[in-house]
Amino acid sequence: MNPFRIEHLTHYHYSGPVMESFAELRLAPLATPHQKLKQRILTIYPETRVTSYLDHYGNQVEFFSLASRHEEMKILSQCEVEIANQPYHSEPLPIQSIQPFYQSLAQDYFDFLAPTPLVPLGKPFERFISKWFPVSQPLGEALFDFTRFINKQFNYQSGATTVETNAAQIAKTKQGVCQDFAHFMLAVLRTAQIPARYVSGYIESANSSANQPELVGAEASHAWVEVLMPDQTWRGYDPTNGIFTENRHIVLAVGRDYSDVPPFRGTYQGSQSLNLTVQVNVKRIN
């Protein structure tokens, strides 16, 4: 097992007092076959009552309101998580032999095959399917090669996109951040009728003791893709870093796209402007 300690601080500072704030959080790591949440503390300032529920995809959602006047709001999520090693087993079956299986599950996994505003499907992605997902190609090789292609040919550029940029735009510009690369990969896979879902979480950026490469995306929450395999398990691929998820990715939430799983969604009453800072620290526990 690989134990990690994560601290995620979100700090809103307003230019003047606001009357009321409402917030919805997806900051509690999921329980999965490869991930165990050992401990978690959520601290809100100003102090308030927090309620939680599970959403449609099994993510823990926490929400609260601040009814009194305030000029700042802090949300600190602290947790310890254990991640099991997930050795990669490349699926050897060719895509054409797996297609009937995916077709039989189309209704059960409809959400992860259908288009969304951020993940449109169709013509913009067909040329990538013909090159990277020919029906004779083993599924595992196709997925890994395509993940590496995005990593090598797309430019990681903060500020080049917004949370509203969709996958068709990324197919043209080939630049963005982890969220954009995940949306693009989802669009290609779903157009190819391969069920795939968006994952929000954290990564360990560096682990020199294990001689592992430095990863991109650890300064805040990260995003990658999980693909439904023929044994009906989900396999993670990180197109930003060109790797499969092994033991350095910590899952917060899953959904159709980013709009299903933002770590923070909220609003406030008042005309004041605000300054937002986010700090994320992921540390392996020795």
Side-chain angles (χ1 to χ4, degrees):
M1 301 295 285
N2 302 272
F4 293 94
R5 181 178 294 114
I6 303 110
E7 290 190 354
H8 186 151
L9 174 64
T10 306
H11 185 193
Y12 282 84
H13 191 273
Y14 307 98
S15 60
V18 300
M19 303 302 106
E20 192 170 21
S21 296
F22 303 87
E24 181 181 272
L25 314 175
R26 286 175 174 81
L27 291 172
L30 277 180
T32 76
H34 305 288
Q35 177 172 294
K36 183 178 181 180
L37 178 60
K38 300 288 290 183
Q39 177 179 309
R40 174 139 187 281
I41 300 172
L42 178 66
T43 306
I44 310 294
Y45 174 83
E47 187 175 349
T48 188
R49 179 173 177 266
V50 178
T51 307
S52 66
Y53 67 92
L54 296 181
D55 69 11
H56 177 66
Y57 301 110
N59 307 309
Q60 183 173 330
V61 183
E62 297 162 314
F63 63 97
F64 63 88
S65 65
L66 294 173
S68 59
R69 290 164 62 95
H70 53 283
E71 295 189 13
E72 67 175 336
M73 177 173 64
K74 295 182 180 180
I75 303 163
L76 176 61
S77 177
Q78 300 169 288
C79 59
E80 292 186 7
V81 178
E82 287 185 346
I83 307 297
N85 290 321
Q86 302 173 60
Y88 184 62
H89 302 288
S90 181
E91 176 54 59
L93 291 174
I95 293 172
Q96 61 187 357
S97 67
I98 301 173
Q99 286 175 331
F101 164 76
Y102 284 145
Q103 291 168 2
S104 71
L105 294 177
Q107 185 172 353
D108 295 337
Y109 294 96
F110 174 81
D111 282 4
F112 304 125
L113 286 165
T116 72
L118 291 174
V119 185
L121 308 184
K123 191 173 182 179
F125 312 103
E126 290 173 356
R127 61 190 177 97
F128 298 101
I129 294 172
S130 62
K131 181 174 182 178
W132 298 101
F133 293 91
V135 295
S136 60
Q137 182 81 344
L139 178 62
E141 291 182 17
L143 288 170
F144 187 72
D145 290 345
F146 187 58
T147 302
R148 294 283 292 170
F149 161 73
I150 299 173
N151 166 255
K152 295 296 185 182
Q153 299 300 321
F154 285 52
N155 181 35
Y156 188 94
Q157 182 64 52
S158 298
T161 57
T162 71
V163 293
E164 297 178 351
T165 302
N166 69 33
Q169 295 168 284
I170 302 304
K172 294 179 181 179
T173 64
K174 293 184 174 61
Q175 65 178 359
V177 293
C178 56
Q179 168 188 310
D180 303 304
F181 302 155
H183 285 158
F184 170 73
M185 187 170 184
L186 289 173
V188 173
L189 292 173
R190 292 178 188 170
T191 299
Q193 291 297 294
I194 299 173
R197 64 188 185 184
Y198 184 99
V199 186
S200 171
Y202 307 113
I203 58 173
E204 178 192 34
S205 61
N207 184 5
S208 57
S209 63
N211 197 30
Q212 292 180 316
E214 186 170 344
L215 301 181
V216 176
E219 68 275 5
S221 57
H222 191 52
W224 59 95
V225 169
E226 286 185 344
V227 181
L228 184 70
M229 305 307 289
D231 61 359
Q232 296 195 49
T233 62
W234 293 96
R235 175 76 260 184
Y237 295 86
D238 181 349
T240 301
N241 291 290
I243 59 176
F244 57 86
T245 62
E246 186 178 11
N247 58 20
R248 302 172 69 185
H249 290 67
I250 299 150
V251 178
L252 281 180
V254 299
R256 295 166 298 175
D257 58 29
Y258 172 80
S259 65
D260 284 336
V261 298
F264 178 94
R265 179 186 283 129
T267 186
Y268 65 93
Q269 295 185 15
S271 58
Q272 288 77 15
S273 61
L274 64 84
N275 180 51
L276 168 64
T277 59
V278 178
Q279 296 176 338
V280 174
N281 183 29
V282 178
K283 184 176 182 180
R284 186 180 293 259
I285 304 172
N286 294 324

Short mmCIF file of all heavy atoms in Angstrom, two decimals, residues 125-159:
data_model
loop_
_atom_site.label_atom_id
_atom_site.label_comp_id
_atom_site.label_asym_id
_atom_site.label_seq_id
_atom_site.Cartn_x
_atom_site.Cartn_y
_atom_site.Cartn_z
N PHE A 125 -13.65 14.07 -34.25
CA PHE A 125 -12.82 13.07 -33.59
C PHE A 125 -12.64 11.80 -34.41
O PHE A 125 -11.89 10.91 -34.02
CB PHE A 125 -13.44 12.73 -32.23
CG PHE A 125 -13.80 13.96 -31.44
CD1 PHE A 125 -15.12 14.38 -31.35
CD2 PHE A 125 -12.82 14.72 -30.84
CE1 PHE A 125 -15.46 15.53 -30.64
CE2 PHE A 125 -13.15 15.87 -30.13
CZ PHE A 125 -14.46 16.29 -30.04
N GLU A 126 -13.30 11.72 -35.57
CA GLU A 126 -13.26 10.50 -36.36
C GLU A 126 -11.86 10.21 -36.90
O GLU A 126 -11.44 9.05 -36.99
CB GLU A 126 -14.28 10.59 -37.49
CG GLU A 126 -15.72 10.52 -36.98
CD GLU A 126 -16.74 10.79 -38.07
OE1 GLU A 126 -16.30 11.09 -39.22
OE2 GLU A 126 -17.95 10.70 -37.80
N ARG A 127 -11.12 11.27 -37.25
CA ARG A 127 -9.76 11.04 -37.79
C ARG A 127 -8.83 10.45 -36.74
O ARG A 127 -7.91 9.69 -37.08
CB ARG A 127 -9.19 12.32 -38.35
CG ARG A 127 -9.02 13.46 -37.35
CD ARG A 127 -8.66 14.76 -38.07
NE ARG A 127 -8.57 15.90 -37.17
CZ ARG A 127 -7.44 16.35 -36.66
NH1 ARG A 127 -6.29 15.75 -36.96
NH2 ARG A 127 -7.43 17.39 -35.86
N PHE A 128 -9.06 10.76 -35.48
CA PHE A 128 -8.24 10.18 -34.42
C PHE A 128 -8.60 8.70 -34.21
O PHE A 128 -7.73 7.89 -33.90
CB PHE A 128 -8.43 10.96 -33.12
CG PHE A 128 -8.01 12.40 -33.21
CD1 PHE A 128 -8.94 13.40 -33.37
CD2 PHE A 128 -6.66 12.74 -33.16
CE1 PHE A 128 -8.56 14.73 -33.46
CE2 PHE A 128 -6.26 14.07 -33.26
CZ PHE A 128 -7.22 15.07 -33.42
N ILE A 129 -9.86 8.37 -34.40
CA ILE A 129 -10.29 6.97 -34.25
C ILE A 129 -9.67 6.11 -35.35
O ILE A 129 -9.16 5.01 -35.08
CB ILE A 129 -11.83 6.88 -34.28
CG1 ILE A 129 -12.42 7.58 -33.06
CG2 ILE A 129 -12.27 5.41 -34.31
CD1 ILE A 129 -13.92 7.71 -33.11
N SER A 130 -9.73 6.60 -36.57
CA SER A 130 -9.20 5.80 -37.68
C SER A 130 -7.70 5.54 -37.52
O SER A 130 -7.20 4.49 -37.95
CB SER A 130 -9.48 6.49 -39.02
OG SER A 130 -8.83 7.76 -39.07
N LYS A 131 -6.99 6.49 -36.91
CA LYS A 131 -5.54 6.32 -36.76
C LYS A 131 -5.18 5.50 -35.53
O LYS A 131 -4.30 4.63 -35.60
CB LYS A 131 -4.87 7.69 -36.68
CG LYS A 131 -3.34 7.59 -36.54
CD LYS A 131 -2.67 8.94 -36.62
CE LYS A 131 -1.15 8.80 -36.52
NZ LYS A 131 -0.45 10.10 -36.65
N TRP A 132 -5.83 5.78 -34.40
CA TRP A 132 -5.41 5.19 -33.14
C TRP A 132 -6.26 4.02 -32.67
O TRP A 132 -5.84 3.26 -31.80
CB TRP A 132 -5.37 6.27 -32.05
CG TRP A 132 -4.39 7.36 -32.36
CD1 TRP A 132 -4.66 8.59 -32.88
CD2 TRP A 132 -2.97 7.29 -32.24
NE1 TRP A 132 -3.50 9.29 -33.07
CE2 TRP A 132 -2.44 8.52 -32.68
CE3 TRP A 132 -2.09 6.30 -31.79
CZ2 TRP A 132 -1.08 8.79 -32.69
CZ3 TRP A 132 -0.73 6.57 -31.79
CH2 TRP A 132 -0.24 7.80 -32.24
N PHE A 133 -7.47 3.87 -33.22
CA PHE A 133 -8.36 2.79 -32.77
C PHE A 133 -8.90 1.98 -33.94
O PHE A 133 -10.12 1.75 -34.04
CB PHE A 133 -9.51 3.38 -31.94
CG PHE A 133 -9.06 3.97 -30.63
CD1 PHE A 133 -8.73 5.32 -30.55
CD2 PHE A 133 -8.94 3.19 -29.49
CE1 PHE A 133 -8.29 5.87 -29.35
CE2 PHE A 133 -8.51 3.73 -28.29
CZ PHE A 133 -8.18 5.08 -28.23
N PRO A 134 -8.03 1.50 -34.85
CA PRO A 134 -8.52 0.59 -35.89
C PRO A 134 -9.03 -0.70 -35.24
O PRO A 134 -8.54 -1.11 -34.20
CB PRO A 134 -7.27 0.33 -36.74
CG PRO A 134 -6.12 0.59 -35.81
CD PRO A 134 -6.58 1.71 -34.91
N VAL A 135 -10.03 -1.30 -35.84
CA VAL A 135 -10.72 -2.42 -35.19
C VAL A 135 -9.81 -3.62 -34.96
O VAL A 135 -10.09 -4.46 -34.09
CB VAL A 135 -11.96 -2.86 -36.01
CG1 VAL A 135 -12.99 -1.74 -36.02
CG2 VAL A 135 -11.57 -3.25 -37.43
N SER A 136 -8.73 -3.73 -35.71
CA SER A 136 -7.82 -4.88 -35.54
C SER A 136 -6.82 -4.67 -34.41
O SER A 136 -6.13 -5.62 -34.01
CB SER A 136 -7.07 -5.14 -36.83
OG SER A 136 -6.29 -3.99 -37.20
N GLN A 137 -6.74 -3.46 -33.86
CA GLN A 137 -5.75 -3.14 -32.83
C GLN A 137 -6.19 -3.68 -31.47
O GLN A 137 -7.34 -3.54 -31.08
CB GLN A 137 -5.58 -1.61 -32.73
CG GLN A 137 -4.56 -1.14 -31.73
CD GLN A 137 -3.14 -1.21 -32.28
OE1 GLN A 137 -2.89 -1.87 -33.27
NE2 GLN A 137 -2.22 -0.51 -31.63
N PRO A 138 -5.29 -4.31 -30.71
CA PRO A 138 -5.63 -4.70 -29.33
C PRO A 138 -6.02 -3.47 -28.52
O PRO A 138 -5.37 -2.42 -28.61
CB PRO A 138 -4.34 -5.33 -28.81
CG PRO A 138 -3.62 -5.80 -30.03
CD PRO A 138 -3.94 -4.78 -31.09
N LEU A 139 -7.07 -3.59 -27.73
CA LEU A 139 -7.59 -2.44 -27.01
C LEU A 139 -6.54 -1.82 -26.10
O LEU A 139 -6.39 -0.60 -26.04
CB LEU A 139 -8.82 -2.84 -26.18
CG LEU A 139 -9.43 -1.73 -25.32
CD1 LEU A 139 -9.94 -0.60 -26.19
CD2 LEU A 139 -10.54 -2.29 -24.44
N GLY A 140 -5.79 -2.65 -25.36
CA GLY A 140 -4.80 -2.13 -24.43
C GLY A 140 -3.72 -1.31 -25.12
O GLY A 140 -3.35 -0.23 -24.65
N GLU A 141 -3.22 -1.80 -26.26
CA GLU A 141 -2.20 -1.05 -27.00
C GLU A 141 -2.76 0.26 -27.52
O GLU A 141 -2.08 1.30 -27.48
CB GLU A 141 -1.68 -1.91 -28.16
CG GLU A 141 -0.85 -3.12 -27.73
CD GLU A 141 -0.32 -3.88 -28.93
OE1 GLU A 141 -0.31 -3.30 -30.05
OE2 GLU A 141 0.09 -5.04 -28.76
N ALA A 142 -3.99 0.22 -28.04
CA ALA A 142 -4.60 1.43 -28.59
C ALA A 142 -4.76 2.50 -27.51
O ALA A 142 -4.45 3.68 -27.74
CB ALA A 142 -5.96 1.10 -29.20
N LEU A 143 -5.22 2.10 -26.34
CA LEU A 143 -5.42 3.06 -25.26
C LEU A 143 -4.10 3.68 -24.80
O LEU A 143 -4.01 4.90 -24.59
CB LEU A 143 -6.12 2.38 -24.08
CG LEU A 143 -7.59 2.03 -24.28
CD1 LEU A 143 -8.08 1.14 -23.14
CD2 LEU A 143 -8.45 3.29 -24.37
N PHE A 144 -3.09 2.85 -24.63
CA PHE A 144 -1.82 3.37 -24.15
C PHE A 144 -1.15 4.25 -25.21
O PHE A 144 -0.62 5.32 -24.89
CB PHE A 144 -0.88 2.24 -23.76
CG PHE A 144 0.38 2.73 -23.11
CD1 PHE A 144 0.37 3.24 -21.82
CD2 PHE A 144 1.59 2.70 -23.79
CE1 PHE A 144 1.53 3.72 -21.21
CE2 PHE A 144 2.76 3.17 -23.19
CZ PHE A 144 2.73 3.68 -21.90
N ASP A 145 -1.21 3.84 -26.48
CA ASP A 145 -0.60 4.64 -27.54
C ASP A 145 -1.31 5.98 -27.68
O ASP A 145 -0.65 7.02 -27.91
CB ASP A 145 -0.66 3.88 -28.87
CG ASP A 145 0.27 2.69 -28.91
OD1 ASP A 145 1.16 2.60 -28.04
OD2 ASP A 145 0.10 1.84 -29.81
N PHE A 146 -2.62 5.99 -27.54
CA PHE A 146 -3.36 7.24 -27.67
C PHE A 146 -3.08 8.17 -26.48
O PHE A 146 -2.96 9.39 -26.65
CB PHE A 146 -4.86 6.95 -27.77
CG PHE A 146 -5.69 8.17 -28.07
CD1 PHE A 146 -5.46 8.93 -29.20
CD2 PHE A 146 -6.71 8.55 -27.21
CE1 PHE A 146 -6.23 10.06 -29.48
CE2 PHE A 146 -7.48 9.67 -27.48
CZ PHE A 146 -7.25 10.43 -28.62
N THR A 147 -2.96 7.59 -25.30
CA THR A 147 -2.60 8.39 -24.12
C THR A 147 -1.25 9.05 -24.32
O THR A 147 -1.07 10.24 -24.01
CB THR A 147 -2.57 7.50 -22.87
OG1 THR A 147 -3.85 6.87 -22.71
CG2 THR A 147 -2.25 8.29 -21.62
N ARG A 148 -0.30 8.32 -24.85
CA ARG A 148 1.03 8.86 -25.11
C ARG A 148 0.99 9.92 -26.21
O ARG A 148 1.72 10.92 -26.15
CB ARG A 148 1.99 7.73 -25.50
CG ARG A 148 2.27 6.74 -24.38
CD ARG A 148 3.24 7.30 -23.38
NE ARG A 148 4.58 7.46 -23.95
CZ ARG A 148 5.56 8.10 -23.35
NH1 ARG A 148 5.36 8.70 -22.19
NH2 ARG A 148 6.76 8.19 -23.92
N PHE A 149 0.17 9.72 -27.20
CA PHE A 149 0.03 10.70 -28.28
C PHE A 149 -0.41 12.06 -27.75
O PHE A 149 0.15 13.10 -28.11
CB PHE A 149 -0.97 10.18 -29.32
CG PHE A 149 -1.53 11.25 -30.21
CD1 PHE A 149 -0.75 11.84 -31.21
CD2 PHE A 149 -2.84 11.69 -30.06
CE1 PHE A 149 -1.28 12.83 -32.03
CE2 PHE A 149 -3.37 12.68 -30.86
CZ PHE A 149 -2.58 13.25 -31.86
N ILE A 150 -1.42 12.07 -26.89
CA ILE A 150 -1.90 13.34 -26.33
C ILE A 150 -0.78 14.00 -25.53
O ILE A 150 -0.55 15.22 -25.64
CB ILE A 150 -3.14 13.11 -25.45
CG1 ILE A 150 -4.29 12.52 -26.29
CG2 ILE A 150 -3.59 14.42 -24.79
CD1 ILE A 150 -5.49 12.10 -25.47
N ASN A 151 -0.08 13.22 -24.73
CA ASN A 151 1.01 13.76 -23.92
C ASN A 151 2.11 14.38 -24.79
O ASN A 151 2.65 15.45 -24.46
CB ASN A 151 1.59 12.64 -23.05
CG ASN A 151 2.93 12.99 -22.43
OD1 ASN A 151 3.96 12.50 -22.86
ND2 ASN A 151 2.91 13.86 -21.43
N LYS A 152 2.43 13.75 -25.92
CA LYS A 152 3.54 14.21 -26.75
C LYS A 152 3.14 15.35 -27.68
O LYS A 152 3.94 16.25 -27.95
CB LYS A 152 4.08 13.04 -27.59
CG LYS A 152 4.72 11.92 -26.76
CD LYS A 152 5.96 12.41 -26.03
CE LYS A 152 6.66 11.26 -25.31
NZ LYS A 152 7.86 11.75 -24.55
N GLN A 153 1.91 15.34 -28.19
CA GLN A 153 1.54 16.26 -29.26
C GLN A 153 0.68 17.44 -28.79
O GLN A 153 0.50 18.40 -29.55
CB GLN A 153 0.79 15.50 -30.36
CG GLN A 153 1.60 14.40 -31.01
CD GLN A 153 2.86 14.94 -31.66
OE1 GLN A 153 2.84 16.02 -32.27
NE2 GLN A 153 3.97 14.21 -31.55
N PHE A 154 0.15 17.39 -27.58
CA PHE A 154 -0.68 18.49 -27.07
C PHE A 154 0.16 19.31 -26.09
O PHE A 154 0.94 18.76 -25.31
CB PHE A 154 -1.92 17.96 -26.39
CG PHE A 154 -2.98 17.47 -27.35
CD1 PHE A 154 -2.67 16.56 -28.35
CD2 PHE A 154 -4.29 17.90 -27.25
CE1 PHE A 154 -3.63 16.10 -29.24
CE2 PHE A 154 -5.26 17.45 -28.12
CZ PHE A 154 -4.94 16.56 -29.13
N ASN A 155 -0.04 20.62 -26.11
CA ASN A 155 0.77 21.54 -25.32
C ASN A 155 0.05 21.91 -24.03
O ASN A 155 -1.05 22.47 -24.06
CB ASN A 155 1.06 22.80 -26.13
CG ASN A 155 1.91 23.80 -25.38
OD1 ASN A 155 2.79 23.41 -24.60
ND2 ASN A 155 1.66 25.08 -25.58
N TYR A 156 0.69 21.61 -22.88
CA TYR A 156 0.12 21.99 -21.59
C TYR A 156 0.34 23.49 -21.40
O TYR A 156 1.48 23.94 -21.29
CB TYR A 156 0.77 21.20 -20.46
CG TYR A 156 0.11 21.40 -19.11
CD1 TYR A 156 -0.88 20.52 -18.67
CD2 TYR A 156 0.46 22.46 -18.28
CE1 TYR A 156 -1.50 20.69 -17.44
CE2 TYR A 156 -0.16 22.65 -17.05
CZ TYR A 156 -1.13 21.76 -16.64
OH TYR A 156 -1.75 21.95 -15.42
N GLN A 157 -0.76 24.25 -21.37
CA GLN A 157 -0.66 25.70 -21.32
C GLN A 157 -1.74 26.27 -20.41
O GLN A 157 -2.91 26.34 -20.78
CB GLN A 157 -0.79 26.29 -22.74
CG GLN A 157 -0.65 27.80 -22.81
CD GLN A 157 0.74 28.26 -22.41
OE1 GLN A 157 1.74 27.78 -22.94
NE2 GLN A 157 0.82 29.19 -21.47
N SER A 158 -1.36 26.67 -19.20
CA SER A 158 -2.31 27.28 -18.27
C SER A 158 -2.81 28.60 -18.86
O SER A 158 -2.03 29.37 -19.43
CB SER A 158 -1.65 27.53 -16.91
OG SER A 158 -1.24 26.33 -16.32
N GLY A 159 -4.10 28.85 -18.71
CA GLY A 159 -4.70 30.09 -19.19
C GLY A 159 -5.14 30.06 -20.64
O GLY A 159 -5.77 31.01 -21.11
#
